[in-house]
Amino acid sequence: AKKLIRIGLPSGFQYFIEIAAFTFSAVMIGWFGSRSLAAHQIAINLASLTYMMILGISSAGTIRVGYYYGAKDRKNLRIAGFSVIGFAGSIMLLSAIILIIANKSLPLVYISDPEVISIASKLLIIAAIFQLADGLQATSVGVLRGLTDVRIPLIITFSSYWIVAVPLGYYLGIELNMGAVGIWTGLCIGLFLVAISCVVRFNIKSKEELHKI
C-alpha cells in the first residue's frame, strides 16, 4: 500500500498541476472578454482531441516499460520507452500539420463570429507548435512512471507550469497586451520545458538501468 501511495500521489498531483495551469490560463483569458474565451475553448477543444489519444499511448508506455523494468530486461525497457515517445511524436507532428493547414476553417465548425474565428485561428497555430511538446511530455512522463520515477517529474511539471508558463503567460498576455495569444505562448513554452526535461531524464534513467546489467 505504501508503494502504491508513493507512486500514485505524485502521479495524481502531476495531472492536477497541469489541469490547474490550463484552467487558470482560461480564467486569465476570460478577462479579455467572451470572444477571447470562446476562441480559447475552440482551440483547446481541437487540441484535446489528439491529446486523448496520447494519454492512451502514455498509459501503454507505462505498462510496457513497467513490465520490462520488473523483468529486469533493461535493453527492451529503453527500446519500449523511446518507441512510445517516438510514436506519440509522429502522431502529434501530423496533428500539428493539420492544425496549421486548417487553422482558419476548423473554427467555422463551432462558430461564425469573425472576431472569434480570427483569435481562434491564431491560437491554433500555437496549438500546432505545442502539439509535439504535448505528445512528448505526456509519454515521457508515462514511461518514467513505468520506472517508478515520479518525484522528479512532479517537480519538473510544477516548475515548468507554475514558475515559468503561468507567470510568463500573464506577462505576455496582460502586461504586454498580447491577449490570449500571449497566455498560450506561455503555456507552449512550459510544455516544451516539461517535454525536453522528461525526455532527457528518461534517457539518463534508462542508461543507468543498462549499466546495471
Side-chain angles (χ1 to χ4, degrees):
K2 286 183 180 179
K3 193 170 184 180
L4 286 174
I5 292 170
R6 183 173 61 84
I7 297 171
L9 277 180
S11 299
F13 274 121
Q14 275 182 273
Y15 285 119
F16 173 76
I17 287 167
E18 183 175 356
I19 291 168
F22 274 84
T23 302
F24 185 69
S25 295
V27 171
M28 288 194 290
I29 289 170
W31 298 341
F32 298 109
S34 59
R35 285 187 169 86
S36 290
L37 188 58
H40 166 78
Q41 288 301 124
I42 290 169
I44 203 72
N45 183 256
L46 288 167
S48 296
L49 291 175
T50 47
Y51 185 68
M52 292 301 103
M53 289 193 296
I54 296 302
L55 281 181
I57 295 168
S58 175
S59 297
T62 301
I63 294 166
R64 286 195 70 198
V65 170
Y67 171 79
Y68 290 123
Y69 182 64
K72 301 189 187 308
D73 187 346
R74 316 299 190 192
K75 184 179 179 181
N76 281 320
L77 176 156
R78 187 171 165 83
I79 292 170
F82 278 112
S83 65
V84 167
I85 292 170
F87 181 51
S90 299
I91 290 173
M92 289 310 231
L93 181 59
L94 177 61
S95 171
I97 292 169
I98 293 170
L99 288 180
I100 290 171
I101 292 172
N103 73 305
K104 292 182 180 178
S105 56
L106 284 172
L108 290 169
V109 176
Y110 296 83
I111 200 166
S112 58
D113 188 304
E115 188 178 340
V116 174
I117 291 170
S118 175
I119 299 169
S121 65
K122 293 173 186 174
L123 296 184
L124 285 175
I125 295 295
I126 301 172
I129 296 168
F130 79 51
Q131 284 284 286
L132 185 58
D134 218 6
L136 296 180
Q137 69 90 15
T139 48
S140 59
V141 165
V143 296
L144 284 170
R145 197 171 294 136
L147 291 174
T148 68
D149 183 25
V150 291
R151 290 184 182 180
I152 298 301
L154 174 61
I155 293 169
I156 290 170
T157 302
F158 177 80
S159 302
S160 298
Y161 285 123
W162 287 98
I163 295 178
V164 178
V166 172
L168 181 60
Y170 178 88
Y171 176 73
L172 294 174
I174 295 168
E175 297 297 326
L176 295 187
N177 202 31
M178 290 174 65
V181 171
I183 292 170
W184 269 59
T185 301
L187 289 173
C188 184
I189 291 170
L191 278 166
F192 269 103
L193 284 175
V194 178
I196 293 167
S197 301
C198 288
V199 170
V200 168
R201 181 158 179 83
F202 178 73
N203 184 46
I204 293 169
K205 293 289 288 184
S206 59
K207 278 184 178 178
E208 288 175 358
E209 292 297 323
L210 278 175
H211 294 319
K212 293 178 182 179
I213 296 176

